[in-house]
Amino acid sequence: TRADGGTLNPMPGQRRVAWLPYASIQEAEQRLGGIPEGIEIDLYRADGDSWPDSIAEVEFYVLPYMKGEEVLDRVGDMTQLKIIQTLTAGVENFLPYVPDNVILCNAAGVHDTSTAELAVALALASGRHLDHYARNQPSGTWDFQLGISLADQRVLIIGYGQIGAAIERRLSGFE
């Protein structure tokens, strides 16, 4: 079901095309728990692969993850496009390329936990200079550097959205 209450279910005899960023149809079926009847899938990962031949028929386009706005270079050729789904929370870089009649959906909430955990892990690693020790490990060099703890530190979270709130929750255990 679309955000505007419409449906993606096809009319009898109507071809409905969705582009997904998977390596194979089997991977798409496994990750999605199957493909709805009447929906044809083309694959596009923007990893040097060519644009699918169904470019004039695609209605639902899931953008490849961690790619730039170049994944919309041919949006003008997507004459049947109705929905673009990003795999990121932010969509600002894609907005200028989305036609007025196309719905742009983000993935807000999908990466909150993993991004917050990564932020805390990197803060801990940076404070304790773990990068320095890792680079010196192959040579067996021990060059002690005094680190800092997260406890009793003041933290500024810039861009306090869902991910910022998730970071705050995880940092609360560090006093």
Side-chain angles (χ1 to χ4, degrees):
T1 303
R2 297 186 334 219
D4 65 2
T7 181
L8 289 175
N9 293 331
M11 302 295 278
Q14 184 181 7
R15 183 170 184 218
R16 306 301 293 269
V17 178
W19 285 7
L20 302 176
Y22 296 114
S24 69
I25 297 292
Q26 294 78 18
E27 180 186 3
E29 289 174 339
Q30 176 198 12
R31 289 180 180 260
L32 301 174
I35 305 298
E37 187 176 327
I39 304 295
E40 294 183 33
I41 302 299
D42 268 334
L43 305 172
Y44 182 63
R45 298 186 319 157
D47 283 338
D49 45 340
S50 57
W51 294 88
D53 292 335
S54 62
I55 196 161
E57 299 169 286
V58 63
E59 294 182 47
F60 185 78
Y61 179 18
V62 179
L63 300 183
Y65 188 57
M66 300 299 287
K67 303 294 180 180
E69 45 281 340
E70 71 275 1
V71 297
L72 291 174
D73 279 350
R74 295 195 53 200
V75 73
D77 297 330
M78 299 175 188
T79 56
Q80 298 300 309
L81 189 61
K82 293 177 175 54
I83 300 171
I84 295 172
Q85 173 69 60
T86 70
L87 297 176
T88 58
V91 296
E92 295 78 13
N93 58 319
F94 298 113
L95 283 174
Y97 305 95
V98 178
D100 291 336
N101 61 333
V102 173
I103 297 169
L104 178 62
C105 305
N106 69 9
V110 172
H111 304 289
D112 296 358
T113 298
S114 61
T115 303
E117 288 177 358
L118 177 62
V120 172
L122 292 174
L124 288 166
S126 177
R128 298 300 181 156
H129 307 292
L130 296 184
D131 59 323
H132 172 79
Y133 295 124
R135 281 192 297 277
N136 287 337
Q137 187 176 12
S139 67
T141 304
W142 176 252
D143 179 22
F144 179 75
Q145 292 190 4
L146 187 60
I148 60 168
S149 170
L150 279 179
D152 299 323
Q153 296 298 313
R154 185 172 296 181
V155 175
L156 171 64
I157 299 173
I158 299 173
Y160 190 84
Q162 288 177 256
I163 293 172
I167 293 170
E168 180 186 26
R169 286 191 303 275
R170 282 154 182 82
L171 288 174
S172 67
F174 289 94
E175 304 166 19

